[in-house]
Amino acid sequence: MNSEGLLNKSLKVGISSCTTVHGLAGNGGLHAGARKENCEFVATVDSHKLQSAASTGRFLCALFLDDGGAVKEYRSDDSAVSGTVLTKEGKEKRPNEAPREDRDVQERRCDVLPRDTEPRGQPPAGRALHPCASSQILVPTHRAAKGHADREVMAAAALTSLSATNPLVLPQNTVPETTSKGLKESLSGSYGSTTSGNWSWDASDQSVPSTPSPPLWTDINKTSLLLSQGDDLIDESEITHFLFEDPIPRKRKNSMKVMFKCLWKNCETVLSSSSGIQRHVRTFHLGRNGDSEDSDGEEDFYYSEMEVNVDTLSEGLSCLTPASPTAPMAPPTFYKALPIFSCPHPSQRALISLRAELGCTSPLSQSAPSTLCQIRTDHTYQATAALSIPGAPSAFRPNDASASLSWQPLRTTPPTQICNFNVMERRLPFQHTTFAKPLPPAVPTAKPSTGSRKSRGEAKKCRKVYGMEKKDLWCTACRWKKACQRFTD
DNA sequence: TATGCCGGGAA
DNA sequence: TTCCCGGCATA
């Protein structure tokens, strides 16, 4: 049956979830119909909201129609048929139904999220990737009437087809082997097994779209579960935006990315996720287990959040790349290593160290001349006289309220080439987010301009000095609406 | 609202 | 390369 046709209808879908369903309130696209012990609910999914629902719900299991026509439930950790099997009559069979006590234990286990500290390949035998995934979906017999069973099959097919349309975000190991062959083929090859710490794709793989789709399935599962733990693992504003379909805050092209810098002495590690930096602090500095179950929040004091201008940073990185003058400029590996800029992957804990990328301890501490910090614009209209600042920071000081500086790397680059590294840093109080409201502004303190645009200087410009009447007296830059080169700051 | 100026297009 | 301007950010 055509899946798109299915999507145009309002489907009643049986979805299992092992924990409280987040994001349902206010979502509008997913209406809980029945729910029992946080373990299952029946939802009505509007097709156009299905993706939104997928972003909030826990699609820990899906229903598939096997060869024999029976509906089977698969979980992300399901090898094949360990889940509930529904008969055509709507009754459920539990091949290995555990006693009620055991189920309670398993449900309680759902509160503990499995950390993906292990490689994301095939899980070891006997160990599921998601132990909290429901293996005992409770399907009330009264709703599984004969007529409804087919509709559930349709719903399951719709969900399956949706997942198939996002091959990038569906790891292989979440697909049961008995899933339809086409689905399997669509998934294979486009998502190789990766480790938890490195999220990247093969650039030669043509099947990977250049603009990754929003995360679904297990990514969303992880996201929701992580949030339910109150673990500040991801950019919550992104989640809020993603869940409520807020318009993306309009920014200029030079977008900022929040990075997390370890404040431990002599540690210059900069990671892209708070969870990563927390784990880094725990593991390397506090000497604790990398998992956060035993965390008391102490690691929050050892890292800070900072905003990194992605564009200018990438330029800086590309400048720092030891490329030969004849060789073509290599594309900035920053994007390759940090796909978060285009597709946030919250649970990946992208432990990307800029230090590793640069092959040095710190891009600023070693690349920036210690006594000459040139602050100047790269605009050709502006005066190019370098301004030498005595006492310029010899190393990146993360506790500075803000730092907007440029440096000229000591390498054989044309003198006009400026590596502009714009870093603004702010310390956020630890926040927990509810889905009811969008995030308030992170810090009401004076936030530096979020781009490479300079803040307005004190000096009067040609317009002010001469006025509109004497525009011919303006400098050419002012006449051209460029940065004034006569009255520089 | 005025100003500064970035980014981009046209010549 | 020069010139111009739309549009955004900021005061």
Side-chain angles (χ1 to χ4, degrees), chain A residues 60 75 148 164 201 269 416-417 439 484:
Chain A
L60 295 181
R75 296 171 287 124
H148 289 174
W201 62 76
T269 302
T416 57
Q417 190 171 359
L439 273 180
C484 179

Side-chain angles (χ1 to χ4, degrees), chain A residues 181-201:
Chain A
K181 189 177 180 181
L183 171 63
K184 195 172 181 179
E185 290 176 353
S186 67
L187 297 173
S188 63
S190 65
Y191 205 99
S193 63
T194 59
T195 60
S196 61
N198 298 298
W199 194 86
S200 63
W201 62 76

Side-chain angles (χ1 to χ4, degrees), chain A residues 313-323 329-332 358 411 417 419:
Chain A
L313 176 58
S314 63
E315 293 175 7
L317 291 174
S318 63
C319 291
L320 293 174
T321 302
M329 181 68 78
L358 298 174
R411 51 185 290 269
Q417 190 171 359
C419 293

Side-chain angles (χ1 to χ4, degrees), chain A residues 342-398:
Chain A
S342 58
C343 179
H345 200 280
S347 64
Q348 285 295 331
R349 304 180 181 91
L351 304 176
I352 308 300
S353 173
L354 294 179
R355 177 176 56 185
E357 286 293 319
L358 298 174
C360 59
T361 57
S362 172
L364 283 175
S365 60
Q366 291 196 352
S367 298
S370 59
T371 58
L372 176 62
C373 182
Q374 296 178 342
I375 295 181
R376 68 186 193 185
T377 173
D378 56 354
H379 205 287
T380 55
Y381 298 101
Q382 191 140 358
T384 56
L387 178 60
S388 192
I389 299 178
S394 59
F396 179 62
R397 293 198 296 257

Side-chain angles (χ1 to χ4, degrees), chain A residues 409-430:
Chain A
L410 297 177
R411 51 185 290 269
T412 57
T413 55
T416 57
Q417 190 171 359
I418 302 296
C419 293
N420 189 0
F421 186 82
N422 192 341
V423 173
M424 276 150 287
E425 183 253 346
R426 55 191 167 93
R427 180 82 173 119
L428 284 177
F430 190 73

Side-chain angles (χ1 to χ4, degrees), chain A residues 117-356:
Chain A
T117 54
E118 298 180 5
R120 299 187 67 192
Q122 290 296 327
R127 186 191 182 283
L129 280 178
H130 291 284
C132 63
S134 171
S135 62
Q136 57 279 337
I137 177 171
L138 299 176
V139 181
T141 55
H142 66 273
R143 72 166 177 86
K146 189 172 183 178
H148 289 174
D150 293 337
R151 296 175 64 180
E152 291 178 357
V153 172
M154 294 162 61
L159 290 173
T160 307
S161 63
L162 269 183
S163 67
T165 59
N166 293 278
L168 177 65
V169 294
L170 185 57
Q172 273 185 299
N173 55 19
T174 64
V175 181
E177 293 180 357
T178 55
T179 309
S180 63
K181 189 177 180 181
L183 171 63
K184 195 172 181 179
E185 290 176 353
S186 67
L187 297 173
S188 63
S190 65
Y191 205 99
S193 63
T194 59
T195 60
S196 61
N198 298 298
W199 194 86
S200 63
W201 62 76
D202 187 0
S204 62
D205 192 345
Q206 300 300 321
S207 64
V208 177
S210 58
T211 55
S213 303
L216 290 175
W217 281 94
T218 56
D219 296 333
I220 292 303
N221 293 336
K222 288 181 179 180
T223 299
S224 302
L225 291 171
L226 294 174
L227 284 175
S228 66
Q229 288 184 304
D231 195 353
D232 186 19
L233 292 176
I234 57 174
D235 190 345
E236 293 160 334
S237 64
E238 290 180 358
I239 291 300
T240 306
H241 152 71
F242 184 68
L243 294 179
F244 295 95
E245 299 176 351
D246 287 341
I248 296 176
R250 187 167 185 181
K251 290 182 179 180
R252 301 198 64 144
K253 282 197 171 181
N254 43 5
S255 59
M256 305 297 290
K257 175 59 191 174
V258 176
M259 304 293 286
F260 300 90
K261 185 179 191 307
C262 179
L263 298 179
W264 201 270
K265 186 178 181 181
N266 295 329
C267 183
E268 303 278 349
T269 302
V270 177
L271 300 178
S272 61
S273 66
S274 62
S275 62
I277 199 68
Q278 286 177 0
R279 188 190 301 199
H280 164 81
V281 170
R282 280 195 300 270
T283 303
F284 293 99
H285 302 315
L286 298 180
R288 297 178 183 173
N289 190 327
D291 294 341
S292 62
E293 278 80 0
D294 55 351
S295 170
D296 56 0
E298 183 182 357
E299 61 271 14
D300 292 335
F301 296 95
Y302 296 106
Y303 72 91
S304 68
E305 188 175 339
M306 63 181 182
E307 286 188 359
V308 178
N309 189 323
V310 175
D311 295 341
T312 55
L313 176 58
S314 63
E315 293 175 7
L317 291 174
S318 63
C319 291
L320 293 174
T321 302
S324 65
T326 57
M329 181 68 78
T333 57
F334 198 66
Y335 288 109
K336 194 174 180 179
L338 293 175
I340 52 177
F341 302 124
S342 58
C343 179
H345 200 280
S347 64
Q348 285 295 331
R349 304 180 181 91
L351 304 176
I352 308 300
S353 173
L354 294 179
R355 177 176 56 185

